Amino acid sequence: MAQTAAAKRDAAMFSWLRALLFTLILVGLVSVAAGEDWKFDVAALAICATGFGFFFVAFSGGMHFGITFANFLAVYACTFFFFRESNFPKAGHGPAIIALAMPVLVFLGACFVRLRQINAVLHARRRREITALPALWRWIPGVAAVGAATFALPRLHLAASDQEVALLVSMAVVSGFIAYAARDVVLLLNDVALIFEGVAHRIDRLMIPMTAFMTLYSLLVVVFACLYRLAEMSAETPQFLTDSADHFLSFGEAMYFSIITLSTVGYGDIVPVGQLVRLLAAGQVIVGLLLLLFGFSEIARMSDEERAAPPAPKLPD
């Protein structure tokens, strides 16, 4: 029994470590892509790691709960960077870091104050199916209104110091809404995690038809890429246009053209002009559509069989 409990603790710890790594990678990717300096990136990672660590200690929601919280942190960081770049471009790094941290820290403080209440609601909610999401009206309209109001600031042509004050005031108001609705935010995280857990379970059951579909898809990409190359090698003139000029495709370009043709994207950067390669492209589109219908049919069939199958018996502990 003790070994079983220890194994469960180790598994839970490993799951949360993976979720923490996922959080840091996701938020770090957003921070680097936003073009901030390394100090701001480190501060963003530290803020998100602090929030994640609090949830690891305070709540036991499993890996999906951790990954959901990581997604919410990344969405928050991405939204913050967007609003700061659009409406507060002159704000310095110091006030921006404070503004970024403010809602997260206030939310964690509100959760700590109501820890027992939130944990009790979480445990009760996990024992029954979700019938309705928590009251989003308590915080989402207010946060959205603050974000919408900030778009008027660039027209005021504020100085850098005034933009910093406006940024801090805006995030303080957002923090107030988040603190007021901290319980509902945690419940939303939990409910999304439960939904995500069910989706992940169904995806595991559908991996066989999905893998078969991707295998056939990759095979068609390679085969048609080879056929495009052979068609060009058998002709004396180029069979494709690239940037409105005759061009012999390399094998890599043939693979790229095969992928965009099979997916019916058709960017237009590579255009088939020879009759044979046009015929091949038309045939690939038709085969791709048939494969798509087949793939959806198999996935739907497996999903129906899973719903119709009786539940597996539980193994004794």
Side-chain angles (χ1 to χ4, degrees):
M1 184 67 68
Q3 292 181 349
T4 303
K8 289 182 178 179
R9 285 196 301 268
D10 292 341
M13 176 69 72
F14 181 68
S15 297
W16 274 92
L17 287 176
R18 284 192 299 172
L20 175 60
L21 180 62
F22 178 78
T23 302
L24 296 178
I25 292 175
L26 196 56
V27 175
L29 181 64
V30 173
S31 302
V32 173
E36 303 290 347
D37 63 9
W38 67 270
K39 295 180 181 178
F40 196 91
D41 297 341
V42 171
L45 290 173
I47 292 168
C48 293
T50 300
F52 191 91
F54 173 85
F55 266 75
F56 171 72
V57 174
F59 305 110
S60 56
M63 183 185 68
H64 294 100
F65 191 40
I67 292 178
T68 302
F69 185 61
N71 288 335
F72 273 64
L73 285 174
V75 170
Y76 165 67
C78 191
T79 305
F80 176 83
F81 292 144
F82 169 75
F83 279 101
R84 186 202 168 204
E85 180 181 353
S86 300
N87 303 332
F88 310 95
K90 298 180 181 179
H93 285 316
I97 292 174
I98 296 174
L100 176 66
M102 195 183 304
V104 177
L105 298 180
V106 169
F107 170 64
L108 297 180
C111 289
F112 180 77
V113 171
R114 295 185 239 173
L115 186 59
R116 289 187 177 180
Q117 176 194 7
I118 294 175
N119 261 322
V121 176
L122 280 178
H123 289 305
R125 201 171 181 85
R126 290 186 190 124
R127 285 194 292 266
R128 66 176 189 272
E129 294 185 1
I130 301 171
T131 57
L133 290 176
L136 304 180
W137 59 267
R138 295 185 183 180
W139 60 285
I140 286 185
V143 172
V146 174
T150 60
F151 280 98
L153 294 177
R155 300 191 178 189
L156 301 179
H157 304 289
L158 299 177
S161 58
D162 294 331
Q163 288 192 13
E164 292 172 354
V165 172
L167 175 60
L168 292 173
V169 170
S170 299
M171 298 309 293
V173 175
V174 169
S175 301
F177 284 113
I178 298 298
Y180 172 71
R183 170 183 171 275
D184 296 306
V185 175
V186 176
L187 290 181
L188 178 63
L189 289 170
N190 178 73
D191 292 352
V192 173
L194 291 177
I195 295 172
F196 181 51
E197 185 175 353
V199 171
H201 173 71
R202 288 192 292 272
I203 289 177
D204 288 340
R205 295 292 301 270
L206 298 176
M207 283 302 296
I208 294 177
M210 290 169 62
T211 303
F213 173 80
M214 291 305 301
T215 301
L216 290 175
Y217 194 93
S218 303
L219 178 63
L220 288 176
V221 168
V222 174
V223 169
F224 274 92
C226 294
L227 292 178
Y228 292 134
R229 283 283 293 158
L230 292 175
E232 278 215 308
M233 293 169 62
S234 64
E236 298 180 355
T237 58
Q239 301 295 294
F240 293 88
L241 291 179
T242 301
D243 297 329
S244 302
D246 292 339
H247 181 69
F248 282 102
L249 296 187
S250 65
F251 185 75
E253 291 172 327
M255 287 284 291
Y256 165 75
F257 179 75
S258 180
I259 291 173
I260 63 174
T261 301
L262 188 60
S263 62
T264 67
V265 173
Y267 291 120
D269 50 348
I270 300 177
V271 180
V273 293
Q275 295 299 323
L276 178 56
V277 292
R278 284 181 173 179
L279 182 63
L280 288 173
Q284 187 176 14
V285 170
I286 294 173
V287 172
L289 291 175
L290 292 176
L291 177 62
L292 190 64
L293 293 174
F294 167 77
F296 278 124
S297 174
E298 284 298 304
I299 292 174
R301 183 181 64 82
M302 288 286 291
S303 181
D304 291 339
E305 290 180 356
E306 179 186 358
R307 285 194 294 266
K314 293 184 179 180
L315 298 177
D317 295 333

